[in-house]
Amino acid sequence: MFTVLAKERLSKEIFRMEVYAPKIAERRKAGQFIILQQGGEYHERIPLTIADANKERGSITLVFQAVGEGTHRLATLEVGDSIKNLLGPLGHPTDVRHYGKVVCVGGGIGAAPLHPIAQAMKEAGNELKVIIGARNKDLLIMEEEMGHIADEVIVCTDDGSYGRKALVTEPLKELCESWQPNLVVAIGPPIMMKFCTVTTRPFNIPTIVSLNAIMIDGTGMCGGCRVSINGETKFACVDGPEFDGFAVDWDNLLLRLGTYKDVEDDAHHRCHIGLDIKEGDA
Amino acid sequence: MGSFNLKELDLEAQQLWENYSTKELTNRERMAIPDQHMATQEVAVRVTNMEEVALGYSEAQVRVEALRCLHCKNAPCITGCPVQIDIPRFIALVGEGKFGEAVGVIKESSLLPAICGRVCPQEVQCQLPCTVGKSLKSVEKAVNIGRIERFVADWEMQKGATKVPSIAPPTGKKVAVVGSGPASMTAAADLRRAGHQVVMFEALHKTGGVLVYGIPEFRLPKEIVRREFETLIAMGVEIETNFLVGRTSKLKELIESEGFDAVFLGTGAGLPRFLKIEGENLVGVFSANEYLTRSNLMKAYERGKAGTPIYNSKRVAVFGGGNVAMDAARTALRLGAENVTVVYRRSETEMPARREEIEHAKEEGIEFLFLHAPLKILGSEKGRVRGVELIRCELGEPDASGRRSPVEIKGSESLYPCDTVIVAIGNDSNPLVKQTTEGLVVNKRGNIVVEEETCKTSLEGVYAGGDIVLGAATVILAMGQGRRAAKAMNQYLEGLADN
């Protein structure tokens, strides 16, 4: 059983959970993900990138935003409760090595899975700058943690409620000009990752992105997570989740992520119960 | 076929039984006995539910059907069976009403009769060479071996008469079985019977592999699979779900650091194959694996209850001609699609699906467009499927598979409007085990290469079977390999020095 060891509410709808999963904690590397399912016949399988791990405690840390039925239900778990099913670590780890200068860009919840990657990049001897951004102050996470490892952390919000009022692409562009990084790693909403690649492309700076395609099994069986990479169909679960951002067909990814939008809007409507998130808040 | 009412069929069979059971029958008389139809749910009802379509024989029916067997000396049916079940012997026992003994005969060769009775393509296996069918000049008139098998297996389950096989004293050897589909189930049972400790690893949250995520409830009730696992667990097979060999632990670690003396790989089919045509990544294009997994494993057909959504479709085109294509088409229909068309490049004769599934699909109103191939999938401004461009084909020379290959007819393009496309043209192998296991030899399609007799791979102590070896095959072939592998593994383990 995968017991919840700690739980923290980072903002109205963002939660951090430390879960007992010793095998995964032992083996996971930066960039990998897990799939969880909360038992029973009807609960969905939810892929989440691993935000951190602690081998001594045998735990992994998950950070998630309660946006759908499954993540809402997950958010209702308390310390001592268990997640029935947890599979991982899945996907290829990040290609961590010495690049020279690395910029890590995290948007919203994406800052959480970005943290171990940034950490590994730093440990590999890279100079590291981190940009984190969110819609507003409440949704901004990982500032302190990033501060411990990065040479510089640039914080921005869309509405200017905290840090600089800007999209992450603004400081990214400036760094491309002034600092000339050798690699950019961007994790966040697909639209953000897309525009990060639009920003870095003129500078020809390799840009790695982590794709959160729709997935069921996560082991290379269902084919739901297929993405178009340089015109070739790849599977985010076994070929990814990280890809060369310049090769991704972003428009197709964005369309495919909207496959069940009508159905999920209904589900979202249904399940704010028990979480103290009121309609309109989320 | 039509829908058949169980009560009426049973009454007819009871009368026939009275006529025939009292005397010694000549072969001519046996062949004159009408073949027994199997009752099904009414068409209008069954397309609105997910419950099993075929209802099985009544006791009178199964005994009448058993009387049709001529007990040929050369038993061509046995040759037609991939695992050589002693068919005439079990049918004779059914004729005598000894159902428990009959199921025992089947289980000497096949572990899962309730499943195989339902999903085996009998018309190209045991029933194809049946003398009765040959004499009556139609394989459809052959003795319905599969239905008899299903009856005795169900009888055993319903009576609660399922015997937990006896287990040999502990050998001190530990074996990993990777995957929990039919190949792995069979291997696990045979290895455990020999007294080894057996741990079965499954990546998903439920066991059963393709029997659970792939084959719909209306063709194979999940209760049957659940019961088979109950037996495995009662035998002492340990099951670990949420364990992906290659990621959670590597194959070599199982052997080198986790104390397993041998490993059976039954990881199943892998990545779904796509058509490699324009528009394949549009919204509304699904692999059959995804569509069926959503419905079967994640219970998405219970809309409102299930957390996993499934696409709302009105007009569906399914590409492929196998059982998976039939399953996907019939699932789409049950989920509320108004029109479902199966598009197949060859003609009906070449379709690899079970005859019964094709008939059931037709009865339910699934349409078929034979000798048509897709050229591209067309999308709306919003990137959703709005149709497929098709081209007509004619059959040319036989290809490597022995089937006549489709040749496109220039200038015969047409547009088929639809909002959903389901691709059911098979699977490539899953790359994971290969990627994470040094020295494991696979062929150019990525399937694990094994010695035919023993299912031994290129690695010491590692055996493999089922779809990861065969590509997309059948449950019975997977089972056959699981059994062969287990036999070889038992010998291998016996030869190992004690720990």
Side-chain angles (χ1 to χ4, degrees):
Chain A
M1 279 300 219
F2 307 96
T3 311
V4 177
L5 302 177
K7 178 187 175 186
E8 191 184 346
R9 192 167 188 164
L10 301 181
S11 77
K12 205 174 299 174
E13 43 177 309
I14 300 177
F15 296 82
R16 173 162 34 207
M17 231 174 226
E18 188 187 351
V19 182
Y20 183 70
K23 279 216 163 80
I24 303 174
E26 186 64 37
R27 174 166 289 276
R28 72 90 216 193
K29 292 204 171 91
Q32 290 187 298
F33 66 100
I34 56 96
I35 287 193
L36 61 86
Q37 196 270 353
Q38 293 184 72
E41 290 278 332
Y42 299 109
H43 297 316
E44 63 183 320
R45 291 171 66 87
I46 305 171
L48 290 172
T49 311
I50 302 167
D52 204 355
N54 184 323
K55 285 186 193 177
E56 287 71 46
R57 286 166 64 86
S59 68
I60 59 168
T61 299
L62 304 171
V63 175
F64 60 93
Q65 194 165 1
V67 287
E69 204 249 340
T71 41
H72 268 94
R73 191 173 299 278
L74 185 62
T76 63
L77 295 184
E78 298 299 340
V79 173
D81 291 346
S82 316
I83 298 169
K84 181 82 192 294
N85 300 294
L86 188 66
L87 172 70
L90 301 173
H92 292 288
T94 310
D95 183 11
V96 175
R97 49 196 156 97
H98 182 78
Y99 294 91
K101 292 190 268 189
V102 176
V103 176
C104 287
V105 190
I109 193 100
L114 184 69
H115 181 254
I117 297 170
Q119 200 167 26
M121 288 294 182
K122 183 72 189 171
E123 281 164 13
N126 293 291
E127 286 180 63
L128 174 71
K129 296 197 179 195
V130 172
I131 304 169
I132 47 175
R135 280 208 311 276
N136 56 48
K137 186 184 176 193
D138 188 52
L139 295 171
L140 193 97
I141 56 169
M142 306 302 287
E143 184 188 1
E144 196 194 324
E145 292 87 338
M146 290 295 193
H148 296 316
I149 52 171
D151 304 323
E152 186 188 359
V153 181
I154 301 165
V155 177
C156 41
T157 51
D158 296 5
D159 65 355
S161 54
Y162 188 68
R164 180 172 164 185
K165 181 178 191 304
L167 299 173
V168 290
T169 45
E170 271 183 49
L172 177 60
K173 182 160 184 245
E174 291 160 15
L175 284 179
C176 288
E177 282 162 348
S178 63
W179 197 52
Q180 286 117 32
N182 305 93
L183 180 79
V184 170
V185 182
I187 305 185
I191 194 77
M192 179 215 96
M193 294 192 281
K194 174 183 171 177
F195 281 99
C196 284
T197 64
V198 170
T199 306
T200 55
R201 193 191 283 269
F203 300 95
N204 211 13
I205 299 168
T207 302
I208 297 173
V209 296
S210 178
L211 302 185
N212 54 339
I214 292 177
M215 220 173 255
I216 306 177
D217 62 300
T219 67
M221 185 274 283
C222 84
C225 66
R226 64 194 189 278
V227 286
S228 179
I229 304 294
N230 269 337
E232 203 185 322
T233 294
K234 296 276 178 189
F235 299 88
C237 69
V238 287
D239 298 319
E242 293 182 359
F243 293 97
D244 166 8
F246 297 152
V248 175
D249 181 341
W250 292 102
D251 295 338
N252 185 255
L253 176 72
L254 285 159
L255 281 172
R256 290 184 57 80
L257 284 168
T259 301
Y260 298 102
K261 199 165 181 320
D262 47 340
V263 191
E264 274 160 3
D265 282 349
D266 278 0
H268 188 45
H269 204 75
R270 265 208 313 268
C271 67
H272 278 186
I273 357 105
L275 260 193
D276 195 25
I277 300 175
K278 298 200 173 53
E279 293 295 327
D281 277 0
Chain B
M1 285 191 186
S3 305
F4 292 105
N5 180 292
L6 186 58
K7 269 197 185 138
E8 286 169 21
L9 290 168
D10 183 43
L11 271 178
E12 277 172 42
Q14 285 182 30
Q15 280 166 5
L16 288 168
W17 180 250
E18 275 172 32
N19 292 344
Y20 290 109
S21 60
T22 45
K23 53 182 178 187
E24 199 61 32
L25 297 173
T26 64
N27 279 357
R28 185 181 291 267
E29 283 169 321
R30 287 184 191 277
M31 283 201 288
I33 302 172
D35 62 310
Q36 295 296 296
H37 295 294
M38 182 159 53
T40 52
Q41 273 198 74
E42 288 276 356
V43 174
V45 177
R46 76 190 193 219
V47 296
T48 65
N49 67 42
M50 280 286 167
E51 283 152 40
E52 191 172 20
V53 165
L55 302 174
Y57 278 157
S58 72
E59 195 170 318
Q61 275 191 292
V62 81
R63 293 189 72 175
V64 170
E65 187 65 29
L67 291 182
R68 299 182 65 233
C69 177
L70 306 181
H71 300 281
C72 315
K73 285 234 162 54
N74 58 346
C77 48
I78 299 182
T79 337
C81 172
V83 296
Q84 283 87 48
I85 296 172
D86 190 344
I87 294 165
R89 186 152 65 95
F90 96 74
I91 291 185
L93 288 163
V94 171
E96 294 164 31
K98 296 175 179 163
F99 304 133
E101 284 176 50
V103 85
V105 170
I106 301 176
K107 285 194 171 173
E108 288 167 14
S109 322
S110 163
L111 182 74
L112 309 167
I115 294 169
C116 291
R118 286 170 166 83
V119 303
C120 262
Q122 290 94 1
E123 71 273 11
V124 294
Q125 295 178 352
C126 54
Q127 291 173 201
L128 181 63
C130 169
T131 313
V132 176
K134 293 260 185 233
S135 309
L136 298 172
K137 297 197 168 35
S138 160
V139 69
E140 282 172 33
K141 298 281 175 198
V143 176
N144 284 295
I145 300 164
R147 293 173 183 177
I148 302 176
E149 177 185 27
R150 170 190 162 136
F151 176 89
V152 292
D154 287 358
W155 177 90
E156 184 189 45
M157 275 196 187
Q158 278 152 16
K159 283 272 178 302
T162 309
K163 290 189 199 82
V164 176
S166 57
I167 310 293
T171 60
K173 301 288 191 308
K174 192 171 150 190
V175 190
V177 172
V178 183
S180 67
S184 296
M185 288 164 80
T186 310
D190 286 359
L191 287 160
R192 180 68 196 128
R193 279 212 297 225
H196 309 303
Q197 184 190 353
V198 177
V199 184
M200 185 184 252
F201 295 103
E202 166 58 48
L204 291 172
H205 59 285
K206 270 188 215 166
T207 50
V210 71
L211 304 175
V212 165
Y213 72 72
I215 303 179
E217 183 75 17
F218 57 77
R219 201 151 73 81
L220 176 66
K222 301 309 147 219
E223 176 62 12
I224 291 172
V225 184
R226 195 189 62 75
R227 287 194 186 207
E228 297 296 355
F229 274 92
E230 241 175 43
T231 307
L232 284 176
I233 291 165
M235 289 168 69
V237 172
E238 298 161 43
I239 291 169
E240 232 184 285
T241 48
N242 302 304
F243 196 109
L244 181 61
V245 173
R247 288 273 181 246
T248 313
S249 279
K250 290 189 180 174
L251 177 61
K252 289 214 165 147
E253 289 165 331
L254 292 179
I255 298 170
E256 283 160 16
S257 49
E258 299 192 29
F260 286 97
D261 298 293
V263 178
F264 175 78
L265 293 172
T267 54
L271 295 168
R273 220 174 271 158
F274 285 90
L275 296 155
K276 296 198 161 57
I277 58 173
E278 196 183 318
E280 200 137 50
N281 291 336
L282 288 165
V283 174
V285 183
F286 303 95
S287 74
N289 281 9
E290 179 184 358
Y291 195 76
L292 290 170
T293 301
R294 282 178 184 275
S295 181
N296 301 333
L297 179 73
M298 309 309 296
K299 295 273 182 283
Y301 61 84
E302 293 194 50
R303 287 193 171 112
K305 258 186 168 177
T308 306
I310 196 155
Y311 208 59
N312 282 317
S313 309
K314 285 208 162 61
R315 286 179 64 87
V316 182
V318 180
F319 292 106
N323 287 321
V324 178
M326 298 305 111
D327 289 344
R330 297 170 72 197
T331 298
L333 188 78
R334 284 161 171 75
L335 283 163
E338 288 159 15
N339 177 284
V340 183
T341 301
V342 172
V343 183
Y344 182 53
R345 299 184 304 159
R346 296 177 162 99
S347 73
E348 184 166 357
T349 336
E350 287 82 25
M351 275 182 101
R354 287 179 90 218
R355 205 37 41 190
E356 187 176 290
E357 310 313 328
I358 301 172
E359 293 306 326
H360 284 166
K362 283 183 176 172
E363 289 165 15
E364 290 166 10
I366 305 286
E367 288 173 25
F368 288 83
L369 210 46
F370 296 111
L371 292 165
H372 277 76
L375 291 178
K376 65 176 168 190
I377 303 168
L378 307 165
S380 69
E381 286 159 20
K382 289 180 176 169
R384 296 193 169 232
V385 173
R386 67 176 173 87
V388 239
E389 194 181 311
L390 302 175
I391 187 163
R392 270 201 300 128
C393 300
E394 56 190 356
L395 292 179
E397 294 301 306
D399 64 9
S401 72
R403 291 178 299 178
R404 295 180 65 190
S405 54
V407 182
E408 294 177 359
I409 304 170
K410 281 214 176 82
S412 69
E413 293 84 355
S414 61
L415 176 73
Y416 181 83
C418 59
D419 52 51
T420 306
V421 169
I422 302 174
V423 182
I425 57 167
N427 299 293
D428 291 323
S429 55
N430 192 313
L432 190 59
V433 174
K434 157 76 184 150
Q435 270 175 16
T436 55
T437 312
E438 213 180 298
L440 185 68
V441 176
V442 302
N443 66 17
K444 64 176 191 295
R445 286 193 305 270
N447 295 119
I448 298 175
V449 176
V450 299
E451 285 175 10
E452 198 179 327
E453 271 311 300
T454 59
C455 290
K456 185 183 177 313
T457 70
S458 56
L459 295 176
E460 172 83 6
V462 180
Y463 298 73
D467 278 0
I468 189 65
V469 171
L470 298 164
T474 56
V475 170
I476 187 83
L477 284 172
M479 258 187 41
Q481 281 201 322
R483 178 142 278 182
R484 272 214 299 282
K487 190 176 163 202
M489 290 170 82
N490 284 334
Q491 279 167 5
Y492 169 79
L493 290 164
E494 213 173 292
L496 283 187
D498 283 334
N499 291 340

